[in-house]
Amino acid sequence: MRFWRLNIRIYAVVWSLIIGILTAAYLNLVNWVIDLVWHQYLDTTVGGKWYPFLVCIPLGFLIGFLNERWGNYPLTIEQVLSQVRMKGQLNYHNWWKSFILGLLALGAGGSIGPEASTTVLTSSMINWLGDRMRWAASIRQKISLWHGKMQTQDLVRAPRFSQLFPASE
C-alpha cells in the first residue's frame, strides 16, 4: 500500500513536469508561427500592403471550413471553466482540434490570444492525468500505472479525485 502511494505520487510529479513542458512548447510554437507568418515572410515577400489579404483570406476560409466540420474550437476560457464547473471534467479527447484551430487562428492573425487554446490543451492534459490517477486507484495492484490502458468502465467505477489523498496522511 505504501509503495503504491509513493508510485502514484512519483507518477503525478513526472506527468506534471511533462504537462508543463508541453504547455511551454505549445506557446513557443505559437510564437514561432506568428513570427514566421507576420515577420519573416512579411519582410521577405513581395505583396506589401496586400500581404495580410493573401494570408488572412485563405486561412480564414480554412478555419471556417474546419470550424464547420469540427465545431467551435478552440474553446474560450469561459467555456472551459463552465464545462469543468457543470460536468466536473473536460473532454480531453478533442484536444487536437483546439491545437490545430488555435494554431491556425493565431497564425492567421486572429486576436483570440494564445491563452484560449493553451487553456484547453493544459486543462485537457490535467484532466487526463486526474482520470489516470483515479483509474489507477480503482485497480491498484492489478496493472502497472505506468503503461496500463484505461478502460471506460474502470474509470466510471473509480473514486473521485479528492478521495485519492485523504487528509489523514
Side-chain angles (χ1 to χ4, degrees), residues 93-159:
H93 296 97
N94 293 327
W95 67 269
W96 58 275
K97 294 175 184 179
S98 287
F99 179 85
I100 292 170
L101 286 169
L103 204 56
L104 278 172
L106 290 164
S111 62
I112 62 170
E115 67 278 354
S117 53
T118 306
T119 301
V120 174
L121 295 174
T122 305
S123 299
S124 295
M125 289 186 284
I126 290 168
N127 198 64
W128 172 85
L129 177 60
D131 280 355
R132 186 90 173 149
M133 291 174 69
R134 288 178 46 239
W135 166 77
S138 70
I139 58 161
R140 297 239 174 160
Q141 306 300 329
K142 294 179 190 171
I143 197 162
S144 172
L145 173 66
W146 293 89
H147 58 351
K149 180 160 175 49
M150 264 193 307
Q151 300 296 326
T152 306
Q153 63 272 21
D154 292 333
L155 190 57
V156 169
R157 289 190 303 261

Side-chain angles (χ1 to χ4, degrees), residues 30-45:
V30 166
N31 286 335
W32 179 79
V33 167
I34 291 170
D35 184 61
L36 180 72
V37 173
W38 295 105
H39 295 286
Q40 292 179 18
Y41 280 151
L42 182 60
D43 294 341
T44 61
T45 60

Side-chain angles (χ1 to χ4, degrees), residues 4-17:
W4 181 84
R5 289 191 188 275
L6 178 64
N7 191 22
I8 199 167
R9 286 187 173 124
I10 291 170
Y11 186 83
V13 168
V14 167
W15 274 103
S16 295
L17 288 170

